[in-house]
Amino acid sequence: MSGQRMDRAVAERFVAAWRANWCRVDIDAVVAHFADDAQMRSPLALTLTGSPVVAGAENIRAYWRKAYGHIESADLRILSWSWDEVIARLTVWRQLGDTRASEFMDFNAAGRVVRSEAFYGK
């Protein structure tokens, strides 16, 4: 999906691929959707790195390997998603085990994630 201008149909395919990549814990495939200068914000990042923001695709890759590299698969369920065409934002509501989360991803004109932020709850 990277390299394609995002619209609702592309966003739907992105969500399916994103879920499949996370279920396989294929961190390289997930990071491939990010622009080189992307920023990711997460409370888990704060816990693991001391900063809530991880900047740059390579740093995001290293962070996710630290956070999730020890597991081989994940039963990630997509609860819902929405695409906002005006601001090029995808919001995904998901669940892994008993943890629910929402995450938004902002896309550039080339269809790459430039900013994401995750929110967790039970």
Side-chain angles (χ1 to χ4, degrees), residues 2 22 25-26 35 44 63-65 68 78 92 96-97 100:
S2 291
W22 273 119
V25 193
D26 187 345
L44 183 58
Y63 158 73
W64 277 336
R65 282 193 176 138
Y68 303 106
I78 302 299
V92 177
L96 181 59
R100 295 177 141 229

Side-chain angles (χ1 to χ4, degrees), residues 65-91:
R65 282 193 176 138
K66 182 177 182 179
Y68 303 106
H70 63 284
I71 60 175
E72 293 182 18
S73 66
D75 184 21
L76 181 74
R77 293 187 314 127
I78 302 299
L79 304 173
S80 187
W81 64 274
S82 67
W83 171 249
D84 186 318
E85 187 83 31
V86 175
I87 62 172
R89 175 172 285 176
L90 174 65
T91 304

Side-chain angles (χ1 to χ4, degrees), residues 107-122:
F107 289 80
N108 63 17
R112 308 277 306 265
V113 177
V114 292
R115 188 170 82 108
S116 74
E117 187 162 354
F119 307 90
Y120 299 95
K122 295 272 183 191

Side-chain angles (χ1 to χ4, degrees), residues 3-4 21 35 37 44 53 55 58 62 67 87-88 91 101 114:
Q4 277 187 355
N21 293 337
D37 61 348
L44 183 58
V53 178
E58 290 309 312
I87 62 172
T91 304
V114 292

Side-chain angles (χ1 to χ4, degrees), residues 32-46:
H33 296 287
F34 280 70
D36 291 340
D37 61 348
Q39 289 191 351
M40 190 222 45
R41 184 178 185 93
S42 164
L44 183 58
L46 177 61

Side-chain angles (χ1 to χ4, degrees), residues 98-113:
D98 67 347
T99 301
R100 295 177 141 229
S102 64
E103 182 168 349
F104 72 75
M105 293 169 254
D106 293 335
F107 289 80
N108 63 17
R112 308 277 306 265
V113 177

